[in-house]
Amino acid sequence: VKSLVLREKEDKNSNEFGADEKVMSAINALVNAEWHFTNATISGLEAEINATSLIKDIHGAPVESFLVNLSEAVGRLKTLHKMATLWCKVVAEIRRLWCDGQYIPGIPPDDKPDLNSCLLYQQLQVINCCISRKRRYTAAVESLESVMAEACSNRLTSSGCAETPSCDPRLYAKTKSGDIVVRLGADKMSGNLTMLETGDPIFSPILQEPPLLTEDVIKETEEFVLRTGSVGAGCSQLLSDMQAFKAANPGCTLEDFIRWHSPPDWTENETISNSDDASDGDLSSSSKGQLSSRMQKEGNLWRELWETSKPVPAVRQSPLYDEDLAVEGILEHLEEIPPSDLLKQLFVCALGWGLVAAEAAISSKGNSGLSDMIGECKRYIVATIQSSSSRWWVDKLDEICEVYETVEMMVLKQEDGIRRDDDESTKNGLRKQLSSIITFRGKNENS
């Protein structure tokens, strides 16, 4: 049935978009989770560094990403109607992948949004990252349920547990009063850290992951903070971490949390006092070390939050970031994105890949003269996009296209095999053409 459905979709797409390989590759990459589209890659460390630098400078997308393939596919279509139809199909398939818990191909599965890339690429990164987070959440819930089931089956008295080898420190901790309590939401032992009052090992808890911020969300957040003076998001994250830490480390103190969460705010004593309290085995913070001056100030926010926090594992807390709500907002944005915004971002993605491919083709032939001119073209395009803000799309698009056509001519001449005696004259001609575009072309506000 799956094969029949996929074949029906492929036949329908073929009839609508023709047999163009790039277009069909972009569609099939989303329709069929097992499809692996091919894209040219950059070989060599220096070439990869140059490519990465260029993509960041023009705010594009990595050359190996699905978005670059999509930009090529859209660019091959001849009408806006077909472009819009293809985009609607792409958004519908992205929604289907999200509902099925499948990653968008050609996008890293768990990378935070790359603010040096275009907003569209950042949003696709968020979708894949949210899928990874939901999978980790499911695993954390299963782990917590497993720990609680094991604790119930091995229910022992406090004194019995303290003397029984089966009292696994990964599952149980001892409070200052001597009670044995189950650790909830513990991830792994945190090095050699031990709790100051009980001497039990400190475990790093499974924490709620921070919000995923794209450039538009960051801008909205900054405006909100400036308008209201709110710092609620930071306090919520800190409170959540404290509650998860308390659940994973029963019997812990604020000093234990600070030693784990913010080591610079704790200073270890080099020698332990020989006072009567110390000889009696007192493990208080005063005998082990002290907090920084900012943590000891009256009204310190960390202490206030610690006193109000309760031991609650991360998976049972109110979520700091709602993956479903975030992705739904992105999908709605993709469905309603203005065509100019979409085409501008796709154009930059295709432009970046074209420049990278052209530079690689010239460099492989060892032609330093043409390589220098490619560099001039790149610098002009980067400077134009960076200096013109959002207006370059209207004012400078024709000039950028002319410069890129010069780049294409360089590559085509190189591929055709320029004769040695014609090489210098050809380069002079290309340089003159490039110079006329970059230096002497007048500004045309109506272009």
Side-chain angles (χ1 to χ4, degrees):
V1 172
K2 179 180 177 183
S3 299
L4 289 173
V5 171
L6 292 174
R7 191 180 307 130
E8 181 182 348
K9 287 186 177 182
E10 290 173 5
D11 292 341
K12 186 183 297 183
N13 291 330
S14 298
N15 293 334
E16 188 165 1
F17 298 105
D20 190 291
E21 181 181 350
K22 287 290 184 181
V23 177
M24 296 307 301
S25 174
I27 296 174
N28 288 329
L30 290 172
V31 173
N32 187 352
E34 299 174 358
W35 179 281
H36 298 284
F37 63 85
T38 58
N39 200 349
T41 56
I42 305 302
S43 59
L45 179 60
E46 183 178 356
E48 289 182 3
I49 294 175
N50 291 339
T52 302
S53 176
L54 173 65
I55 298 306
K56 290 182 177 180
D57 290 340
I58 66 175
H59 218 51
V63 296
E64 72 280 0
S65 69
F66 167 74
L67 202 54
V68 170
N69 254 46
L70 178 62
S71 67
E72 288 187 80
V74 172
R76 289 171 179 268
L77 300 175
K78 304 303 182 184
T79 67
L80 286 176
H81 174 73
K82 285 188 175 182
M83 292 180 182
T85 302
L86 175 58
W87 177 247
C88 289
K89 286 182 177 292
V90 167
V91 175
E93 291 301 329
I94 291 176
R95 182 180 288 279
R96 180 187 64 82
L97 290 175
W98 162 250
C99 292
D100 293 345
Q102 297 179 347
Y103 293 116
I104 302 170
I107 303 294
D110 203 21
D111 282 0
K112 294 180 180 178
D114 181 3
L115 301 181
N116 291 310
S117 299
C118 64
L119 178 60
L120 185 55
Y121 183 75
Q122 295 175 40
Q123 291 172 328
L124 297 184
Q125 282 184 300
V126 169
I127 294 176
N128 272 7
C129 199
C130 285
I131 292 174
S132 295
R133 289 189 172 196
K134 288 176 76 71
R135 292 181 179 183
R136 284 195 292 272
Y137 176 82
T138 300
V141 170
E142 293 174 352
S143 175
L144 180 63
E145 292 175 349
S146 175
V147 168
M148 296 181 66
E150 184 174 350
C152 288
S153 63
N154 297 326
R155 194 182 302 273
L156 299 170
T157 62
S158 298
S159 58
C161 185
E163 300 170 357
T164 305
S166 62
C167 186
D168 192 339
R170 294 173 298 179
L171 299 177
Y172 300 94
K174 182 174 61 176
T175 65
K176 187 177 181 180
S177 61
D179 295 331
I180 303 300
V181 185
V182 179
R183 297 183 185 272
L184 298 178
D187 183 17
K188 58 185 178 181
M189 193 177 295
S190 182
N192 296 323
L193 283 178
T194 58
M195 287 186 272
L196 295 173
E197 290 189 346
T198 66
D200 274 8
I202 290 179
F203 279 74
S204 297
I206 297 173
L207 301 175
Q208 286 204 63
E209 299 183 72
L212 296 168
L213 302 177
T214 54
E215 61 184 24
D216 58 332
V217 175
I218 291 176
K219 184 178 180 180
E220 291 175 2
T221 303
E222 290 176 346
E223 292 175 351
F224 176 77
V225 170
L226 290 175
R227 189 169 63 251
T228 64
S230 170
V231 292
C235 291
S236 298
Q237 182 71 58
L238 182 58
L239 178 62
S240 172
D241 292 351
M242 286 180 173
Q243 295 192 136
F245 186 84
K246 281 186 174 182
N249 298 279
C252 63
T253 62
L254 173 61
E255 288 76 10
D256 293 326
F257 176 76
I258 291 175
R259 289 163 62 220
W260 171 78
H261 194 282
S262 182
D265 284 306
W266 175 263
T267 303
E268 295 280 352
N269 288 338
E270 295 182 1
T271 58
I272 298 178
S273 171
N274 291 323
S275 63
D276 294 338
D277 290 341
S279 62
D280 291 338
D282 181 17
L283 294 172
S284 67
S285 59
S286 60
S287 67
K288 290 287 188 177
Q290 61 181 358
L291 295 173
S292 64
S293 57
R294 80 180 184 108
M295 289 296 178
Q296 295 184 40
K297 288 182 179 179
E298 185 178 353
N300 179 267
L301 178 62
W302 287 52
R303 188 170 297 280
E304 291 180 2
L305 291 176
W306 180 262
E307 291 173 355
T308 60
S309 63
K310 303 181 184 302
V312 183
V315 296
R316 290 184 174 177
Q317 298 175 13
S318 298
L320 297 175
Y321 182 77
D322 191 325
E323 288 83 8
D324 295 299
L325 185 62
V327 173
E328 184 59 36
I330 289 175
L331 292 173
E332 289 180 1
H333 171 77
L334 297 182
E335 291 172 345
E336 301 172 1
I337 185 172
S340 59
D341 288 350
L342 172 63
L343 294 177
K344 179 171 65 174
Q345 294 183 69
L346 293 180
F347 172 78
V348 172
C349 292
L351 178 66
W353 165 236
L355 291 172
V356 168
E359 186 175 35
I362 294 294
S363 300
S364 65
K365 303 294 184 179
N367 193 324
S368 59
L370 292 182
S371 294
D372 291 341
M373 281 192 285
I374 289 283
E376 291 180 35
C377 292
K378 285 171 52 181
R379 286 189 290 274
Y380 170 77
I381 290 175
V382 170
T384 300
I385 292 178
Q386 289 183 344
S387 63
S388 302
S389 185
S390 60
R391 290 289 301 171
W392 72 264
W393 181 243
V394 177
D395 300 334
K396 298 289 186 178
L397 182 59
D398 287 344
E399 294 178 31
I400 291 176
C401 289
E402 285 193 49
V403 171
Y404 184 75
E405 287 174 3
T406 305
V407 171
E408 284 187 320
M409 190 181 300
M410 294 179 196
V411 177
L412 291 175
K413 291 287 185 181
Q414 186 78 1
E415 293 295 329
D416 291 342
I418 301 173
R419 296 194 307 274
R420 183 177 298 275
D421 55 348
D422 291 340
D423 185 58
E424 195 62 33
S425 62
T426 302
K427 286 192 293 186
N428 288 336
L430 291 172
R431 185 177 287 109
K432 183 178 180 181
Q433 178 181 351
L434 180 63
S435 178
S436 67
I437 298 170
I438 296 178
T439 308
F440 302 107
R441 178 180 172 87
K443 295 184 178 180
N444 182 4
E445 293 299 328
N446 297 320
S447 60

